[in-house]
Amino acid sequence: MSRKFQVKAVPSSWLEHNGRRLDCGPYMSGAIEAAELMRQFSVEPLESLTKDIFHAGREGRQYVLDAQHGVPFMGSTDILAFDLTYQPLLSKKQVNRNPQFTIRKGWTLITRSGTTGRMAFARESMDGMACSEHVMRIVPDANKVPEGYIFAYLSSRFGIPLVVSGTYGSIIQSIEPHHVSNLPVPRLGEVESVADRLIQRSGSLLSNSQAKLNEATELYFDSVGLSDINPTEWHSWGSDLGFATPVSSKSLRALNFNPRFERLCSQIKEGQHKLLGELCLEGTLRRGNIFKRIDAAPEHSYQLVGQKQIFWLRPEGRWISKASVREEVLVSDGTILVAAQGTLGEGELFCRAEFITGSTLERAYSEHFLRVIADESQIERGALFAFMRSETAFRMLRSASTGSKLQDFHYAVLPSLPIPYPEQAVRKKCHDLVMEAYEARDEAIRFEDEARSLVERTIEEGAR
């Protein structure tokens, strides 16, 4: 693909207002354009509309495994995630010593280092969680400005360039509170309340979606007389050292026979169950094929999503030419994609699962995912996902891996994993809960987009 050059004509007044700066970066980023547009409105500095702008400060993190002694912790990219059920735990003692770790509903969260300017609205399911020092907290004063409007404006195409720009619009590597304290916020009257209602509704839908997913998983286990394991239980079962077990010709790796894994499998086999291979369509339970990536314009491309981004509410990815790949990069409705390569660290994504339906069907997915496609004559696809997203499935899948540093699945072991098999009525209920959760997710994204578009449109019209 030939290189595209960007060209933009700017009024001479922009040069005068910005110290006659002649390098193109600040003008092309949109920061100066946004600042000029703000001159057409009654504006207030961000700090005058907030109770506080801060981050947690840099200090070593103390993680724990027991939920009684920990608080779910979000890193800088975790604020972008849809499902926050299985976050690592930060020590309660550390959070109590430094309350600035804690997130509250209604705040605007902004990544402040690395890739700066990514944003999320703190919804109810985030309330009380701890968050990295690499995320800046904007705490609106609800008596002066609606919380949702602040997020809608800051995450708009006018707000983002101002957030990530420093003096005279130069791009900076890390954002500090004083970089955004004087950021101009236009007052838009009734539009602020409308945007707030849309953002609040979006946040409520996302929190309800997560609750439905957790309900589906809990129902799935309860119906067969089991409960999902948690990390505390898993690690309390002892180490995997010094055991003897019969081995098969499929594997000679000790991890594939470890006692904790065998204990999980035995518990499932005591009740109604089927093997994973029996529940999936023939030819699945494999990774995708390797393919060449050729960049192209979005109108001629698929957005390619990798392991890291798939768990985000709004996955990002490069645009690859449709003509350069076959349709196997796409997946069918209800496919479960499992991160298929990685390491065995507790916080790593390897073996975490995502459900593909609705708007996510439009994207392409890399070869680094295990494709799990349920045979609908055996089990509803949403029901299988209710199990595959669980901590139990996560631990079982990790025990069915192979490799040295970088792990992959042992594809001879996967089909023999036992899966609890509830009655049909329960499976249908679990499937419906999962589908409702993902439909609500798409609706939440639409509400957020609507709020942002409303703010952008109002600013554009007011500047004419």
Side-chain angles (χ1 to χ4, degrees):
M1 186 175 67
S2 60
R3 182 180 178 185
K4 292 184 177 180
F5 291 91
Q6 291 182 306
V7 178
K8 184 172 187 176
V10 301
S12 60
S13 60
W14 291 14
L15 302 178
E16 295 173 7
H17 295 156
N18 291 276
R20 301 188 183 279
R21 187 167 184 165
L22 297 179
D23 56 319
C24 65
Y27 301 96
M28 300 302 294
S29 70
I32 290 176
E33 179 181 4
E36 291 294 324
L37 280 174
M38 294 306 108
R39 295 176 182 272
Q40 313 298 319
F41 295 89
S42 172
V43 300
E44 296 183 47
L46 181 61
E47 64 178 350
S48 70
L49 300 173
T50 60
K51 294 180 179 179
D52 203 358
I53 303 173
F54 69 99
H55 55 77
R58 183 170 297 178
E59 60 179 84
R61 300 172 191 165
Q62 301 169 6
Y63 292 106
V64 298
L65 295 173
D66 192 334
Q68 292 185 341
H69 304 295
V71 178
F73 177 79
M74 295 184 292
S76 57
T77 55
D78 293 326
I79 67 170
L80 309 174
F82 166 50
D83 186 358
L84 297 168
T85 305
Y86 302 107
Q87 296 301 120
L89 301 173
L90 195 66
S91 166
K92 283 184 178 179
K93 290 183 178 180
Q94 183 173 17
V95 174
N96 291 336
R97 287 197 305 268
N98 182 2
Q100 289 188 320
F101 273 114
T102 305
I103 297 298
R104 292 301 175 194
K105 178 179 179 293
W107 294 2
T108 292
L109 310 179
I110 306 175
T111 57
R112 53 173 293 270
S113 59
T115 302
T116 59
R118 288 179 171 142
M119 300 188 199
F121 183 72
R123 51 192 183 267
E124 185 176 351
S125 54
M126 290 181 176
D127 191 72
M129 295 181 73
C131 191
S132 165
E133 69 274 11
H134 299 298
V135 174
M136 187 158 58
R137 291 83 154 148
I138 308 293
V139 186
D141 186 339
N143 295 320
K144 297 179 180 179
V145 66
E147 297 169 337
Y149 167 65
I150 287 295
F151 170 74
Y153 166 65
L154 292 179
S155 63
S156 72
R157 68 182 184 88
F158 300 112
I160 290 176
L162 291 172
V163 168
V164 300
S165 65
T167 305
Y168 298 122
S170 61
I171 303 304
I172 55 179
Q173 297 301 311
S174 180
I175 302 175
E176 297 292 340
H178 67 268
H179 290 136
V180 299
S181 60
N182 289 321
L183 188 148
V185 179
R187 304 314 306 263
L188 304 180
E190 180 60 25
V191 167
E192 297 181 6
S193 298
V194 176
D196 177 64
R197 287 194 292 270
L198 291 168
I199 295 298
Q200 297 286 359
R201 177 59 176 155
S202 174
S204 177
L205 283 169
L206 291 175
S207 294
N208 289 339
S209 294
Q210 184 165 319
K212 285 181 182 294
L213 290 178
N214 292 339
E215 181 184 351
T217 299
E218 184 176 355
L219 174 62
Y220 195 99
F221 279 85
D222 284 348
S223 68
V224 292
L226 297 172
S227 59
D228 191 13
I229 195 172
N230 60 53
T232 305
E233 291 178 274
W234 174 259
H235 291 288
S236 72
W237 287 357
S239 67
D240 298 324
L241 301 177
F243 63 90
T245 184
V247 298
S248 68
S249 59
K250 292 181 180 179
S251 173
L252 293 175
R253 191 187 193 196
L255 180 64
N256 301 149
F257 303 95
N258 74 77
R260 290 183 291 178
F261 171 50
E262 296 293 344
R263 180 173 173 178
L264 277 181
C265 292
S266 296
Q267 288 178 349
I268 294 174
K269 289 177 180 178
E270 289 175 0
Q272 184 70 20
H273 72 280
K274 289 194 175 186
L275 302 183
L276 181 59
E278 297 173 340
L279 296 176
C280 295
L281 293 176
E282 187 177 353
T284 63
L285 289 183
R286 63 175 180 80
R287 286 203 290 121
N289 293 328
I290 297 173
F291 54 90
K292 188 174 183 179
R293 293 149 167 80
I294 298 178
D295 295 324
E299 59 267 25
H300 306 296
S301 304
Y302 296 123
Q303 188 181 34
L304 179 65
V305 176
Q307 286 187 152
K308 180 180 180 181
Q309 293 84 7
I310 194 174
F311 300 101
W312 295 0
L313 180 62
R314 295 174 180 271
E316 298 175 5
R318 63 191 288 188
W319 293 91
I320 59 168
S321 170
K322 292 180 179 179
S324 69
V325 295
R326 293 180 292 181
E327 289 195 355
E328 65 183 354
V329 299
L330 306 176
V331 298
S332 57
D333 196 0
T335 295
I336 301 168
L337 294 181
V338 183
Q341 290 187 313
T343 63
L344 295 172
E346 283 292 302
E348 297 297 321
L349 296 175
F350 175 54
C351 296
R352 291 296 182 191
E354 181 58 283
F355 191 68
I356 308 301
T357 189
S359 62
T360 55
L361 290 168
E362 302 168 1
R363 300 185 175 98
Y365 296 93
S366 77
E367 69 272 17
H368 304 295
F369 292 107
L370 176 71
R371 270 73 168 166
V372 182
I373 307 178
D375 181 345
E376 294 181 289
S377 67
Q378 297 293 321
I379 189 171
E380 294 76 4
R381 291 181 176 178
L384 183 57
F385 176 68
F387 176 77
M388 295 298 290
R389 68 179 292 272
S390 69
E391 188 72 15
T392 296
F394 173 71
R395 298 297 174 179
M396 291 172 65
L397 288 168
R398 285 205 161 185
S399 298
S401 65
T402 186
S404 52
K405 171 62 175 176
L406 188 65
Q407 302 293 301
D408 199 344
F409 288 117
H410 197 309
Y411 294 98
V413 175
L414 282 178
S416 61
L417 293 180
I419 307 297
Y421 196 68
E423 297 296 326
Q424 198 277 333
V426 174
R427 301 198 310 268
K428 179 64 164 59
K429 177 62 175 176
C430 292
H431 171 81
D432 289 344
L433 285 168
V434 169
M435 295 304 296
E436 289 169 9
Y438 279 85
E439 288 166 2
R441 164 184 166 150
D442 283 350
E443 188 177 8
I445 292 173
R446 287 194 293 272
F447 278 134
E448 188 178 294
D449 287 343
E450 186 178 343
R452 193 177 292 112
S453 296
L454 173 64
V455 171
E456 291 174 347
R457 190 167 60 250
T458 303
I459 291 174
E460 289 170 343
E461 292 173 352
R464 290 174 183 169

